[in-house]
Amino acid sequence: MAEMAADERLRLLIERIERLEEEKKGISDDIKDVYNEGKATGYDPKAMRQVVRIRKMKPDDRKEMEAILEVYLNALGID
């Protein structure tokens, strides 16, 4: 009886994962569509992705990343 309940629990977990994977794919497709819409409007999708990534960062982390990048660019002679 306990084995049957464990099997049912496993089946429900797997089905839940499958539904979430489908939702994730749908959301991923929606995001791709928004980037394509931006591109069709004249925006650069790579730059848009970078802006989204930067906006997710904490301000201190962003400032640290920018400072390190500036040091690296200066060391390579890139202005």
Side-chain angles (χ1 to χ4, degrees):
M1 191 68 146
E3 184 178 319
M4 193 115 161
D7 291 348
E8 177 67 9
R9 177 73 176 153
L10 176 60
R11 185 184 63 74
L12 291 173
L13 289 170
I14 296 299
E15 288 175 355
R16 197 163 127 208
I17 291 168
E18 289 170 342
R19 279 193 306 276
L20 290 169
E21 289 289 341
E22 283 182 34
E23 289 177 27
K24 183 169 76 170
K25 184 184 181 324
I27 290 170
S28 178
D29 290 344
D30 290 347
I31 292 169
K32 187 186 294 185
D33 290 345
V34 173
Y35 281 112
N36 286 334
E37 182 180 334
K39 183 176 182 177
T41 310
Y43 295 107
D44 183 331
K46 288 181 184 178
M48 291 171 62
R49 287 182 193 282
Q50 189 167 0
V51 168
V52 169
R53 184 176 56 86
I54 290 170
R55 285 175 50 113
K56 287 181 188 178
M57 298 174 80
K58 295 177 185 173
D60 290 341
D61 292 342
R62 188 188 80 244
K63 288 176 187 172
E64 180 181 351
M65 183 215 38
E66 289 171 349
I68 291 170
L69 181 60
E70 185 176 337
V71 168
Y72 287 6
L73 292 173
N74 287 335
L76 296 171
I78 302 171
D79 287 329

